Amino acid sequence: MALVITTSAIFVAQSAYAQVNPIRLNTIGYLPDSQKLASIVGSGDSFTIIRATDHAVVYSGTVGPRALNVDTNEQLGVADFSSVREPGQYILEVKGAGTSPPFKIGSDVYDQPFRVAMMGMYLWRCGTAVSVTYDGKTFAHDACHLDDGWLDFVGGGHNHKDGTKGWHDAGDYNKYVVNGCYSAGVMLQAWEHFGARLKSVPLKLPESGNGTPDFLNEIRWELGWLLTMQMEDGRVYHKLSTQRFGGFIKPEKEKAPRFFVPWSSAATADFAAVMAMAARDYQPFDPAFAKRCLEAAKKSEAYLLAHPEDHPSDQNGFSTGPYAARDPSCRLWADVELWETTGEAQYLSDFQTRAARLGHKVDRTAGWGNVTDLAMYAYLLSTRAGRDPALVSSSRADLLAVADQVVKTSSAHGYGRPLGTAYYWGCNGDVAQQVETLEVAHRLSPRPEYRQTALSALNYLFGRNCFGRSMVTGLGYQPPLHPHDRRSGADGFAWPGYLVGGGWPHPMDWRDQQENYRVNEIAINWNATLIYALADVIDG
Ligand code: 9MR
Ligand code: ZN
């Protein structure tokens, strides 16, 4: 097929690619000075990069030798066009194999994806009407779940207490504290690492212009709900949920009662961590809110100190998401964030005692089930005095060793996947999560490979994968159209800005099917790590 890059030709090209395109690259694009690799399956040795505006061949190269990519069992060759730096729109053509989807080169290629992923968070808001027009379509729902929630299961009788606001968790509309705290925590870390850039990115929120940066405005919607989950004595309810998952209807149509679900020490500790972070992050913009967050954090922490046992939530009667996290890593996180905010020596010494008990200080990934790494990032990047030099140096060494391993794993993988051959529920979210470890490593001990591998994570998610497709709704080439998402299902079209979980146990198990929740659901924690990764690379 002759290559003509006009809008209609791109359309023709897309229908021709109903089969998986053998040329797999980041279909959003590449930063000008970054490494630029495509993975090629099948034959074809020479390739060219063709510019959209005048169809000029701007680069010719040779596809590297084929090598077996073990997890997908494909022979893959790499086309390296890193030396093309000129901003613009391009196509990669492999003689005998075909053409890639169009992609861009530019310092701003991630600006729009960042905003769209943040728009996804806004569209997840519960307890209010939302509406956005994106790409010519309107995505909207009326105010939902205004009855949140009932106290029947927490000893309050059939009585009501405010539990409105927050984000829906995922493709379902329930709200889970452990995952909400993890997601808000990752986003607040993004704020702490990249706030100088993020503060000026307008997100078109109802609160825009209120003097608080929009990035923080969005997270505050979740924090407002989290505050309603705290009990008088500092314990925190584990979730607010229907008893069973509801149908594929719009959220305002879901009328089944939603209940507070008994407390857990994991939720309580995660809550303390996030409220401590919020206290320092919102201080410059809303000191009264910051004070409220700090008091809430201290109250929960005080309860935990007086009750050291790991207390799981009694979820009897509920078949919705369990998020059954155990509390040790959550307590570690609470200690360090309270110390970072207050400077109080007791929090530091509690953290250090707990951390010293861990065999290795930094894990391969963080997630709602294990927030150790979030705590370690905070400790290692802290500029406060008083840290134990031995713990700093051993945890620093652990973190750099993990980051070096991620670099190695990514470069050994045929698609540059930083998570290598590990495939499990929500692994796309963990591909994005690697970016934070790499970023923290880069801050402690800069290496260009850390940056490059962070970008490899995004390359993978936006199309350099065995499907040659974007894994984020509304973005890039052939994104998911049928995510496991009740709003998308009810409307009959995919709501934009959401990373889907990804194939497992085999990478090729991903299907763009609504019913396939194990591989095609969306979730706030996966979006939060994607947002961190995009915040790392936007132009601002
Ligand atoms: O992301 C969660 C995954 O790690 C668990 O294995 C899985 C089963 O418990 O649940 C996932 O979380 C889901 C939650 O339970 C309910 N809302 C949708 C979440 C994403 O699939
Ligand atoms: Zn709702």
Side-chain angles (χ1 to χ4, degrees):
M1 181 180 61
L3 182 84
V4 190
I5 311 175
T6 62
T7 314
S8 59
I10 286 169
F11 177 76
V12 171
Q14 292 201 354
S15 49
Y17 296 146
Q19 298 300 316
V20 176
N21 192 314
I23 303 163
R24 293 140 194 200
L25 44 62
N26 185 335
T27 66
I28 291 290
Y30 296 83
L31 298 174
D33 293 326
S34 70
Q35 186 188 49
K36 303 174 193 74
L37 306 179
S39 301
I40 318 293
V41 70
S43 57
D45 286 332
S46 51
F47 76 91
T48 49
I49 301 289
I50 300 163
R51 188 164 53 210
T53 41
D54 56 2
H55 313 153
V57 171
V58 299
Y59 184 78
S60 305
T62 308
V63 181
R66 295 327 195 250
L68 179 68
N69 183 51
V70 286
D71 55 15
T72 56
N73 195 27
E74 294 164 305
Q75 293 288 336
L76 296 178
V78 170
D80 186 339
F81 53 103
S82 304
S83 60
V84 183
R85 295 195 165 84
E86 186 68 25
Q89 196 181 32
Y90 300 92
I91 277 190
L92 188 160
E93 179 172 28
V94 178
K95 272 228 175 62
T99 53
S100 74
F103 63 92
K104 283 188 185 148
I105 292 177
S107 58
D108 60 350
V109 288
Y110 291 117
D111 292 17
Q112 164 85 339
F114 170 78
R115 281 178 209 172
V116 173
M118 283 303 295
M119 184 176 89
M121 302 310 291
Y122 161 72
L123 288 173
W124 250 320
R125 288 187 187 195
C126 181
T128 184
V130 298
S131 179
V132 160
T133 300
Y134 171 72
D135 210 12
K137 262 205 176 87
T138 297
F139 302 87
H141 69 66
D142 291 339
C144 56
H145 302 116
L146 296 172
D147 279 347
D148 282 351
W150 297 98
L151 292 162
D152 306 47
F153 286 83
V154 293
H158 190 57
N159 290 306
H160 183 262
K161 178 186 115 65
D162 179 43
T164 54
K165 298 195 177 180
W167 298 310
H168 300 130
D169 182 61
D172 65 309
Y173 296 134
N174 298 302
K175 301 186 290 201
Y176 310 90
V177 169
V178 162
N179 204 34
C181 287
Y182 171 76
S183 307
V186 167
M187 289 172 69
L188 288 175
Q189 291 196 331
W191 172 256
E192 293 184 1
H193 300 171
F194 315 118
R197 272 203 300 273
L198 299 183
K199 69 175 190 300
S200 48
V201 178
L203 298 175
K204 294 202 201 118
L205 300 176
E207 300 84 3
S208 293
N210 66 354
T212 297
D214 277 348
F215 191 75
L216 291 180
N217 277 328
E218 188 50 52
I219 303 169
R220 187 163 169 172
W221 190 261
E222 179 73 358
L223 298 172
W225 166 66
L226 285 169
L227 285 165
T228 70
M229 297 300 281
Q230 189 181 37
M231 299 164 72
E232 270 308 306
D233 61 6
R235 288 178 289 164
V236 175
Y237 296 123
H238 191 71
K239 62 189 199 183
L240 206 166
S241 168
T242 49
Q243 289 190 265
R244 279 169 287 285
F245 285 121
F248 275 66
I249 51 176
K250 293 296 272 288
E252 65 271 27
K253 296 260 164 61
E254 188 181 74
K255 297 295 183 196
R258 312 211 310 171
F259 301 95
F260 289 91
V261 175
W263 83 290
S264 69
S265 50
T268 304
D270 282 347
F271 173 92
V274 167
M275 288 303 156
M277 295 179 82
R280 59 178 186 265
D281 296 337
Y282 289 81
Q283 175 65 31
F285 309 106
D286 188 343
F289 178 68
K291 185 163 175 267
R292 191 174 158 212
C293 292
L294 185 57
E295 280 163 8
K298 285 182 158 177
K299 197 189 217 186
S300 287
E301 178 78 354
Y303 187 92
L304 291 168
L305 283 176
H307 301 84
E309 69 287 355
D310 184 0
H311 181 94
S313 166
D314 173 1
Q315 302 198 39
N316 235 322
F318 293 85
S319 56
T320 51
Y323 287 110
R326 309 314 305 228
D327 81 13
S329 73
C330 312
R331 288 178 187 251
L332 185 80
W333 189 27
D335 289 338
V336 74
E337 298 298 0
L338 272 157
W339 168 66
E340 181 64 17
T341 299
T342 65
E344 286 172 30
Q346 189 59 47
Y347 296 129
L348 176 61
S349 101
D350 288 349
F351 168 82
Q352 293 184 154
T353 308
R354 270 179 214 294
R357 275 191 233 133
L358 299 171
H360 56 119
K361 314 282 183 289
V362 175
D363 293 322
R364 185 66 169 74
T365 52
W368 60 262
N370 179 4
V371 290
T372 301
D373 287 359
L374 300 196
M376 287 304 171
Y377 304 146
Y379 183 66
L380 284 168
L381 293 179
S382 179
T383 54
R384 281 197 180 278
R387 293 179 303 173
D388 169 8
L391 182 60
V392 170
S393 97
S394 67
S395 48
R396 181 179 188 277
D398 271 5
L399 184 117
L400 295 178
V402 168
D404 290 346
Q405 192 54 48
V406 175
V407 169
K408 255 200 190 147
T409 303
S410 168
S411 43
H413 190 271
Y415 294 109
R417 188 175 189 263
L419 211 55
T421 58
Y423 295 91
Y424 47 85
W425 198 316
C427 52
N428 278 345
D430 275 359
V431 167
Q433 201 276 320
Q434 303 304 301
V435 174
E436 187 164 6
T437 303
L438 292 160
E439 172 65 20
V440 175
H442 194 66
R443 285 172 184 230
L444 298 174
S445 171
R447 268 185 76 190
E449 293 84 351
Y450 294 149
R451 300 290 298 161
Q452 193 172 293
T453 308
L455 289 164
S456 295
L458 289 166
N459 294 341
Y460 177 85
L461 297 174
F462 286 118
R464 191 182 170 209
N465 57 51
C466 63
F467 297 96
R469 296 172 62 169
S470 167
M471 293 289 125
V472 184
T473 62
L475 288 170
Y477 179 70
Q478 285 193 341
L481 296 179
H482 309 287
H484 184 82
D485 168 45
R486 281 159 177 72
R487 299 158 304 168
S488 304
D491 278 347
F493 47 79
W495 282 41
Y498 299 114
L499 176 62
V500 298
W504 70 284
H506 191 273
M508 285 160 165
D509 290 338
W510 176 69
R511 294 287 176 280
D512 185 18
Q513 295 167 339
Q514 178 185 291
E515 62 276 20
N516 224 324
Y517 58 89
R518 291 160 77 260
V519 302
N520 210 31
E521 188 161 1
I522 60 173
I524 54 173
N525 50 325
W526 309 332
N527 253 55
T529 54
L530 175 68
I531 285 164
Y532 182 98
L534 291 168
D536 196 351
V537 295
I538 57 169
D539 224 12

